[in-house]
């Protein structure tokens, strides 16, 4: 399914998925008609954090590296594998379609997250268990809009 997803740029109708396993699983559950991809670039991206020692915390900012990208993509692939989903092609930003309505793209993502959390009980935490919950929630959302 991943390779069949059309390319397209960001717009009011599409919102970028979180760059983690949860976001990737959401994209898979939404299906190819509700998913778009666009070539990505990490040029100019930075990593922020802090180093903690006996003297306190020292913040830092450093360039985002190829190793950082590989680590993120590997973590996403592992989450998808745990759900029984094939890995996504690398080198893309993934976007999900926002149904017509009053919600902003960010509010739409928050609503989807909330619906998934409400539909799953606290014992449902493994990606394999979550996949049908994601699928049910997104099917219901797209059926309404």
């Amino acid at each position: 399914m991943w390779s069949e997803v059309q390319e397209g740029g960001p717009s009011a109708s599409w919102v970028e998925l979180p760059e983690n396993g949860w976001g990737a699983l959401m994209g898979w559950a939404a299906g190819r008609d509700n998913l778009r991809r666009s070539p990505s670039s990490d040029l100019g991206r930075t990593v922020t954090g802090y180093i903690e020692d006996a003297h306190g915390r020292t913040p830092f900012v450093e360039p985002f590296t190829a190793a950082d990208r590989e680590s993120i993509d590997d973590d996403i692939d592992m989450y998808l594998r745990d759900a029984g989903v094939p890995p996504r092609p690398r080198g893309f930003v993934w976007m999900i379609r926002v149904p017509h309505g009053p919600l902003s793209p960010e509010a739409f993502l928050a609503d989807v997250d909330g619906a998934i959390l409400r539909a799953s009980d606290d014992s449902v935490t493994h990606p394999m268990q979550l996949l049908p919950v994601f699928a049910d929630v997104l099917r219901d959302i797209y059926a309404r809009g």
Side-chain angles (χ1 to χ4, degrees):
M1 189 275 299
W2 295 119
S3 62
E4 299 167 357
V5 172
Q6 293 181 17
E7 288 193 23
S11 72
S13 300
W14 298 91
V15 63
E16 188 173 326
L17 286 163
E19 192 177 36
N20 55 36
W22 182 274
L25 197 58
M26 188 184 301
W28 177 265
R32 80 168 173 240
D33 292 337
N34 297 308
L35 196 60
R36 291 291 178 270
R37 63 185 180 168
S38 179
S40 66
S41 171
D42 293 321
L43 187 65
R45 190 170 176 181
T46 59
V47 175
T48 59
Y50 65 88
I51 299 171
E52 191 165 340
D53 59 21
H55 304 293
R57 291 183 178 186
T58 306
F60 69 85
V61 177
E62 59 188 35
F64 188 88
T65 66
D68 294 325
R69 166 56 48 215
E70 185 172 352
S71 177
I72 289 170
D73 288 341
D74 287 349
D75 287 347
I76 291 169
D77 287 350
M78 184 171 47
Y79 193 88
L80 290 173
R81 184 190 69 233
D82 288 349
V85 173
R88 303 179 308 181
R90 294 183 177 199
F92 294 97
V93 171
W94 296 87
M95 295 163 283
I96 190 170
R97 184 176 66 82
V98 179
H100 297 290
L103 293 179
S104 70
E106 295 75 19
F108 167 70
L109 283 179
D111 275 7
V112 172
D113 285 346
I116 290 167
L117 293 172
R118 286 188 301 278
S120 62
D121 62 46
D122 292 336
S123 66
V124 177
T125 58
H126 192 275
M128 184 72 76
Q129 298 169 312
L130 285 169
L131 180 57
V133 176
F134 275 73
D136 289 345
V137 164
L138 286 157
R139 183 186 60 246
D140 291 348
I141 286 172
Y142 286 120
R144 290 189 307 245

